[in-house]
Amino acid sequence: FLAGRNGLGQLSVLRLLRLLRIARMVKLMRAFPQLMMIIRGISAALKAVVWSGVLMLLFTLTAAIVFTSIYHQGLQSDEDVVASGDTIRDFFGSTSKSMLSLLVMGTILDDVTACSNSIREKNDLWMLTLFLCYILLNSFTLLNMLTGILVDVVGNTAEGENDRLVQAGVMESVHRIFVQMDQDGSGVITQSELMAMKE
């Protein structure tokens, strides 16, 4: 029973050390205001980023359902599809394969040529057009819109931070002037102290 309590005591010491490390990180972030500005910008843009991601996944799921309905692999296993060399069914044989292929090849544009060539081999101009429209919509439009949102939010955050720093500098200067004017240290500037400062 006592050994268990001793173990818990050691765990609380470890938690305290972890809190001290976090406090040290907060001090480090205060030393680098640009880092805090980026973190605040990202947290301000998080809602827009999440909704852009949801919209991108909805477009991808819709296109994946269309591609899977045309190029479904049926009852064949994945190994049979790979062994047969049918690349179109390897890319779009199931909904999960279609989503992965569309995200990797249609959004990130990694090996988009292999995907478009496999669609062209089937002589299906409509599916190739759908794939190209998906690329235009998801890769070019949504990702560029997401980049624009992030740049705008970080820019607004930087502007707000600069305004706050200027305001803090002005307040510090005004405070320093009032401290110099308050000759008796009472915290109140009398009329005689004000007249003395005028001269």
Side-chain angles (χ1 to χ4, degrees), residues 107-142:
T107 303
I108 303 172
L109 301 179
D110 184 30
D111 205 12
V112 68
T113 308
C115 191
S116 59
N117 284 343
S118 66
I119 295 171
R120 277 191 345 195
E121 286 174 1
K122 296 295 181 182
N123 293 324
D124 196 347
L125 185 62
W126 290 110
M127 295 309 288
L128 185 61
T129 305
L130 176 66
F131 183 66
L132 292 176
C133 288
Y134 175 81
I135 289 173
L136 288 174
L137 185 69
N138 241 19
S139 184
F140 297 141
T141 306
L142 281 177

Side-chain angles (χ1 to χ4, degrees), residues 159-170:
E159 188 176 314
E161 279 293 309
N162 288 336
D163 290 346
R164 189 184 65 77
L165 289 174
V166 166
Q167 189 177 27
V170 168

Side-chain angles (χ1 to χ4, degrees), residues 175-199:
H175 183 266
R176 197 173 331 122
I177 291 170
F178 280 128
V179 167
Q180 287 176 353
M181 290 173 67
D182 186 20
Q183 294 172 353
D184 61 357
S186 64
V188 177
I189 298 175
T190 62
Q191 187 175 8
S192 60
E193 290 172 336
L194 185 63
M195 296 310 253
M197 190 65 174
K198 276 177 119 179
E199 296 172 359

Side-chain angles (χ1 to χ4, degrees), residues 9-164:
Q10 289 175 350
L11 283 178
S12 60
V13 169
L14 290 175
R15 287 181 186 161
L16 182 62
L17 289 174
R18 189 180 308 154
L19 283 174
L20 288 174
R21 281 189 8 203
I22 292 172
R24 193 172 66 202
M25 287 298 295
V26 170
K27 281 184 181 179
L28 180 68
M29 283 197 258
R30 284 186 187 153
F32 298 105
Q34 293 84 5
L35 183 62
M36 272 312 282
M37 181 177 49
I38 291 171
I39 290 172
R40 284 187 183 130
I42 288 173
S43 65
L46 192 61
K47 184 177 179 182
V49 169
V50 167
W51 283 112
S52 296
V54 167
L55 188 61
M56 193 178 297
L57 283 176
L58 284 174
F59 286 148
T60 303
L61 180 63
T62 304
I65 290 170
V66 172
F67 275 98
T68 304
S69 68
I70 301 296
Y71 301 120
H72 196 272
Q73 69 190 35
L75 298 176
Q76 286 182 314
S77 67
D78 290 342
E79 292 81 18
D80 293 340
V81 170
V82 171
S84 70
D86 194 3
T87 56
I88 193 74
R89 284 187 172 70
D90 192 27
F91 291 146
F92 302 111
S94 66
T95 306
S96 58
K97 283 182 176 182
S98 295
M99 284 192 70
L100 180 64
S101 297
L102 287 170
L103 283 173
V104 170
M105 297 177 200
T107 303
I108 303 172
L109 301 179
D110 184 30
D111 205 12
V112 68
T113 308
C115 191
S116 59
N117 284 343
S118 66
I119 295 171
R120 277 191 345 195
E121 286 174 1
K122 296 295 181 182
N123 293 324
D124 196 347
L125 185 62
W126 290 110
M127 295 309 288
L128 185 61
T129 305
L130 176 66
F131 183 66
L132 292 176
C133 288
Y134 175 81
I135 289 173
L136 288 174
L137 185 69
N138 241 19
S139 184
F140 297 141
T141 306
L142 281 177
L143 285 181
N144 285 330
M145 186 176 65
L146 183 62
T147 303
I149 289 170
L150 286 172
V151 166
D152 184 49
V153 168
V154 170
N156 290 340
T157 304
E159 188 176 314
E161 279 293 309
N162 288 336
D163 290 346
R164 189 184 65 77

